Amino acid sequence: MTWDDTSGAVSERPLAGDETVDAVVEGWSRLFAYLVVAIVFGLSVIMPFFGLLLALACASYLRAGQVHARRHHGGLLRLVVGPLTAPLDLVRGFAGTLLTVPYATVFAVVVPMAIMATSAIDVQVAPLVGAAWGAGAAAYVLLAAPGVRVPRRHLVQVFVALANGPRRIAVVGAVLCVLTLAVLAAAIVLKPTFAPMYELENSIAQELSRFQDSIQQRVS
Protein backbone atom coordinates (compact mmCIF):
# COMPACT_ATOMS: atom_id res chain seq x y z
CA MET A 1 0.00 0.00 0.00
CA THR A 2 1.40 3.40 -0.96
CA TRP A 3 1.41 6.46 1.29
CA ASP A 4 -1.50 7.93 -0.69
CA ASP A 5 -3.54 4.76 -0.18
CA THR A 6 -2.74 4.76 3.51
CA SER A 7 -3.73 8.42 3.96
CA GLY A 8 -6.93 7.80 2.01
CA ALA A 9 -7.83 4.85 4.22
CA VAL A 10 -7.16 6.87 7.37
CA SER A 11 -9.14 9.85 6.13
CA GLU A 12 -12.17 7.66 5.42
CA ARG A 13 -12.47 6.46 9.01
CA PRO A 14 -13.69 9.74 10.49
CA LEU A 15 -16.17 10.11 7.65
CA ALA A 16 -17.57 6.67 8.38
CA GLY A 17 -17.77 7.59 12.05
CA ASP A 18 -19.53 10.86 11.25
CA GLU A 19 -22.03 9.02 9.08
CA THR A 20 -22.74 6.60 11.93
CA VAL A 21 -23.25 9.47 14.37
CA ASP A 22 -25.55 11.23 11.92
CA ALA A 23 -27.58 8.06 11.47
CA VAL A 24 -27.93 7.66 15.25
CA VAL A 25 -29.01 11.28 15.72
CA GLU A 26 -31.52 10.99 12.88
CA GLY A 27 -32.89 7.76 14.31
CA TRP A 28 -33.44 9.34 17.71
CA SER A 29 -34.90 12.43 16.07
CA ARG A 30 -37.48 10.33 14.26
CA LEU A 31 -38.45 8.74 17.55
CA PHE A 32 -38.74 12.16 19.20
CA ALA A 33 -40.93 13.37 16.34
CA TYR A 34 -43.34 10.47 16.87
CA LEU A 35 -43.37 11.17 20.61
CA VAL A 36 -44.47 14.74 19.88
CA VAL A 37 -47.18 13.38 17.60
CA ALA A 38 -48.26 11.02 20.40
CA ILE A 39 -48.47 13.97 22.82
CA VAL A 40 -50.70 15.94 20.45
CA PHE A 41 -52.76 12.78 19.88
CA GLY A 42 -53.27 12.34 23.62
CA LEU A 43 -54.19 15.98 24.15
CA SER A 44 -56.74 15.69 21.33
CA VAL A 45 -58.32 12.73 23.10
CA ILE A 46 -58.50 14.60 26.41
CA MET A 47 -59.70 17.91 24.94
CA PRO A 48 -60.81 17.27 21.35
CA PHE A 49 -61.61 20.90 20.49
CA PHE A 50 -58.39 22.45 21.75
CA GLY A 51 -56.35 19.39 20.78
CA LEU A 52 -57.45 19.58 17.16
CA LEU A 53 -56.77 23.31 17.10
CA LEU A 54 -53.27 22.54 18.41
CA ALA A 55 -52.80 19.84 15.77
CA LEU A 56 -53.91 22.23 13.01
CA ALA A 57 -51.58 24.94 14.28
CA CYS A 58 -48.62 22.58 14.66
CA ALA A 59 -49.13 20.99 11.24
CA SER A 60 -49.46 24.40 9.56
CA TYR A 61 -46.39 25.82 11.29
CA LEU A 62 -44.27 22.74 10.59
CA ARG A 63 -45.26 22.89 6.93
CA ALA A 64 -44.35 26.57 6.85
CA GLY A 65 -41.04 25.72 8.47
CA GLN A 66 -40.31 23.12 5.83
CA VAL A 67 -41.10 25.57 3.04
CA HIS A 68 -38.88 28.19 4.66
CA ALA A 69 -36.02 25.74 5.24
CA ARG A 70 -35.90 24.85 1.56
CA ARG A 71 -34.93 28.42 0.70
CA HIS A 72 -33.00 29.45 3.78
CA HIS A 73 -30.45 27.10 5.28
CA GLY A 74 -29.55 27.61 8.90
CA GLY A 75 -29.37 26.16 12.37
CA LEU A 76 -31.94 25.42 15.04
CA LEU A 77 -33.09 29.02 15.40
CA ARG A 78 -33.79 29.31 11.68
CA LEU A 79 -35.70 26.01 11.66
CA VAL A 80 -37.86 27.01 14.63
CA VAL A 81 -38.61 30.71 14.14
CA GLY A 82 -37.81 31.17 10.46
CA PRO A 83 -41.46 31.03 9.28
CA LEU A 84 -42.31 33.96 11.56
CA THR A 85 -40.19 36.18 9.34
CA ALA A 86 -42.03 35.07 6.19
CA PRO A 87 -45.84 35.48 6.41
CA LEU A 88 -46.27 33.97 2.95
CA ASP A 89 -44.69 30.75 4.17
CA LEU A 90 -47.22 30.65 7.00
CA VAL A 91 -50.03 31.02 4.48
CA ARG A 92 -48.59 28.20 2.38
CA GLY A 93 -48.26 26.01 5.43
CA PHE A 94 -51.88 26.61 6.44
CA ALA A 95 -53.07 25.95 2.88
CA GLY A 96 -51.17 22.67 2.78
CA THR A 97 -52.75 21.62 6.07
CA LEU A 98 -56.23 22.44 4.79
CA LEU A 99 -55.70 19.91 2.00
CA THR A 100 -55.28 17.18 4.61
CA VAL A 101 -58.40 18.13 6.60
CA PRO A 102 -60.75 15.88 4.53
CA TYR A 103 -58.31 13.00 5.13
CA ALA A 104 -58.42 13.70 8.87
CA THR A 105 -62.21 14.08 8.82
CA VAL A 106 -62.60 10.55 7.48
CA PHE A 107 -60.70 9.19 10.47
CA ALA A 108 -62.62 11.45 12.86
CA VAL A 109 -65.84 9.79 11.66
CA VAL A 110 -64.74 6.21 10.96
CA VAL A 111 -62.79 5.62 14.20
CA PRO A 112 -65.71 6.44 16.56
CA MET A 113 -68.07 4.32 14.48
CA ALA A 114 -65.62 1.42 14.59
CA ILE A 115 -65.33 1.79 18.36
CA MET A 116 -69.12 1.89 18.75
CA ALA A 117 -69.41 -1.19 16.55
CA THR A 118 -67.58 -3.20 19.23
CA SER A 119 -70.94 -3.35 21.00
CA ALA A 120 -71.61 -6.25 18.64
CA ILE A 121 -69.22 -8.32 20.75
CA ASP A 122 -70.60 -6.97 24.06
CA VAL A 123 -67.96 -4.26 24.48
CA GLN A 124 -69.61 -1.09 25.72
CA VAL A 125 -67.83 2.21 25.13
CA ALA A 126 -69.20 5.62 26.03
CA PRO A 127 -70.06 7.59 22.88
CA LEU A 128 -68.01 10.61 23.93
CA VAL A 129 -64.99 8.39 24.54
CA GLY A 130 -65.30 7.01 21.03
CA ALA A 131 -65.64 10.51 19.60
CA ALA A 132 -62.59 11.68 21.55
CA TRP A 133 -60.43 8.89 20.16
CA GLY A 134 -61.69 9.84 16.72
CA ALA A 135 -60.41 13.37 17.36
CA GLY A 136 -57.08 11.89 18.38
CA ALA A 137 -56.93 9.91 15.16
CA ALA A 138 -57.67 13.08 13.18
CA ALA A 139 -54.83 14.89 14.95
CA TYR A 140 -52.49 12.04 14.06
CA VAL A 141 -53.52 12.27 10.41
CA LEU A 142 -52.78 16.00 10.30
CA LEU A 143 -49.25 15.42 11.56
CA ALA A 144 -47.95 12.03 10.52
CA ALA A 145 -50.41 9.74 8.72
CA PRO A 146 -49.33 7.81 5.62
CA GLY A 147 -49.07 10.32 2.80
CA VAL A 148 -48.65 13.23 5.24
CA ARG A 149 -44.89 13.52 5.60
CA VAL A 150 -44.03 17.22 5.59
CA PRO A 151 -44.87 18.12 9.24
CA ARG A 152 -43.06 15.08 10.62
CA ARG A 153 -40.10 15.61 8.30
CA HIS A 154 -39.58 19.15 9.53
CA LEU A 155 -40.00 18.03 13.13
CA VAL A 156 -37.22 15.51 12.56
CA GLN A 157 -35.00 18.27 11.18
CA VAL A 158 -35.62 20.36 14.28
CA PHE A 159 -34.65 17.50 16.58
CA VAL A 160 -31.56 16.71 14.49
CA ALA A 161 -30.41 20.28 15.11
CA LEU A 162 -31.46 20.21 18.76
CA ALA A 163 -30.37 16.76 19.93
CA ASN A 164 -27.00 16.56 18.21
CA GLY A 165 -25.11 14.97 21.10
CA PRO A 166 -25.50 12.13 23.64
CA ARG A 167 -26.36 14.47 26.53
CA ARG A 168 -28.95 16.39 24.56
CA ILE A 169 -30.45 13.15 23.26
CA ALA A 170 -30.75 11.87 26.82
CA VAL A 171 -32.34 15.07 28.13
CA VAL A 172 -34.77 15.51 25.23
CA GLY A 173 -35.64 11.83 25.28
CA ALA A 174 -36.33 11.81 29.02
CA VAL A 175 -38.54 14.90 28.86
CA LEU A 176 -40.53 13.66 25.87
CA CYS A 177 -40.97 10.16 27.32
CA VAL A 178 -42.31 11.54 30.61
CA LEU A 179 -44.68 13.91 28.82
CA THR A 180 -45.87 11.19 26.44
CA LEU A 181 -46.56 8.68 29.20
CA ALA A 182 -48.36 11.31 31.29
CA VAL A 183 -50.54 12.52 28.42
CA LEU A 184 -51.43 9.04 27.16
CA ALA A 185 -52.23 7.87 30.69
CA ALA A 186 -54.49 10.90 31.12
CA ALA A 187 -56.14 10.16 27.77
CA ILE A 188 -56.98 6.66 28.97
CA VAL A 189 -58.10 7.58 32.50
CA LEU A 190 -59.73 11.00 32.22
CA LYS A 191 -63.17 11.69 30.81
CA PRO A 192 -62.85 13.72 27.60
CA THR A 193 -64.32 17.20 27.47
CA PHE A 194 -65.52 18.92 24.31
CA ALA A 195 -65.66 22.35 25.96
CA PRO A 196 -66.56 24.94 24.81
CA MET A 197 -68.53 23.10 22.06
CA TYR A 198 -71.23 21.74 24.37
CA GLU A 199 -73.98 21.61 21.74
CA LEU A 200 -71.70 19.68 19.41
CA GLU A 201 -70.85 17.37 22.31
CA ASN A 202 -74.52 16.54 22.89
CA SER A 203 -75.15 16.04 19.18
CA ILE A 204 -72.18 13.68 18.78
CA ALA A 205 -73.17 11.72 21.87
CA GLN A 206 -76.74 11.25 20.60
CA GLU A 207 -75.73 10.18 17.10
CA LEU A 208 -73.11 7.69 18.30
CA SER A 209 -75.50 6.34 20.92
CA ARG A 210 -78.12 5.70 18.22
CA PHE A 211 -75.54 3.98 16.07
CA GLN A 212 -74.48 1.81 19.00
CA ASP A 213 -78.08 0.88 19.76
CA SER A 214 -78.72 -0.06 16.13
CA ILE A 215 -75.69 -2.35 16.16
CA GLN A 216 -76.92 -4.05 19.32
CA GLN A 217 -80.41 -4.52 17.87
CA ARG A 218 -79.05 -6.12 14.71
CA VAL A 219 -76.89 -8.54 16.69
CA SER A 220 -79.64 -9.47 19.10
Side-chain angles (χ1 to χ4, degrees):
M1 179 181 292
T2 64
W3 185 86
D4 291 338
D5 293 337
T6 303
S7 63
V10 173
S11 64
E12 287 179 0
R13 292 176 185 174
L15 291 177
D18 291 342
E19 291 176 357
T20 301
V21 171
D22 291 342
V24 170
V25 172
E26 184 175 356
W28 280 105
S29 298
R30 290 181 179 180
L31 174 61
F32 295 158
Y34 276 111
L35 289 178
V36 172
V37 173
I39 291 172
V40 177
F41 168 86
L43 291 175
S44 298
V45 173
I46 299 170
M47 300 177 293
F49 178 75
F50 293 107
L52 285 176
L53 285 181
L54 176 63
L56 282 169
C58 288
S60 299
Y61 193 79
L62 290 171
R63 286 179 178 274
Q66 183 70 10
V67 172
H68 188 79
R70 290 173 184 171
R71 301 195 314 271
H72 304 87
H73 298 286
L76 177 62
L77 187 61
R78 172 69 70 176
L79 290 171
V80 174
V81 303
L84 296 178
T85 64
L88 186 58
D89 290 340
L90 293 175
V91 174
R92 291 174 178 173
F94 182 69
T97 301
L98 286 181
L99 295 177
T100 64
V101 169
Y103 186 9
T105 303
V106 171
F107 276 75
V109 174
V110 171
V111 169
M113 294 181 67
I115 294 176
M116 293 297 99
T118 57
S119 61
I121 54 175
D122 294 331
V123 177
Q124 297 293 326
V125 180
L128 289 181
V129 172
W133 284 90
Y140 165 74
V141 170
L142 292 173
L143 290 170
V148 182
R149 295 176 292 181
V150 175
R152 180 175 55 84
R153 185 186 302 164
H154 188 68
L155 199 54
V156 170
Q157 291 178 351
V158 171
F159 281 119
V160 167
L162 175 63
N164 56 2
R167 292 183 179 179
R168 289 189 178 186
I169 289 176
V171 172
V172 174
V175 171
L176 287 179
C177 283
V178 170
L179 288 176
T180 303
L181 290 175
V183 171
L184 293 182
I188 295 172
V189 175
L190 298 179
K191 181 181 178 181
T193 173
F194 285 76
M197 307 296 290
Y198 295 108
E199 293 184 2
L200 178 63
E201 177 181 359
N202 294 331
S203 178
I204 291 175
Q206 291 176 0
E207 292 299 326
L208 288 179
S209 180
R210 291 173 184 172
F211 178 75
Q212 189 178 47
D213 292 340
S214 66
I215 294 293
Q216 291 176 336
Q217 291 175 359
R218 292 179 182 179
V219 173
S220 59

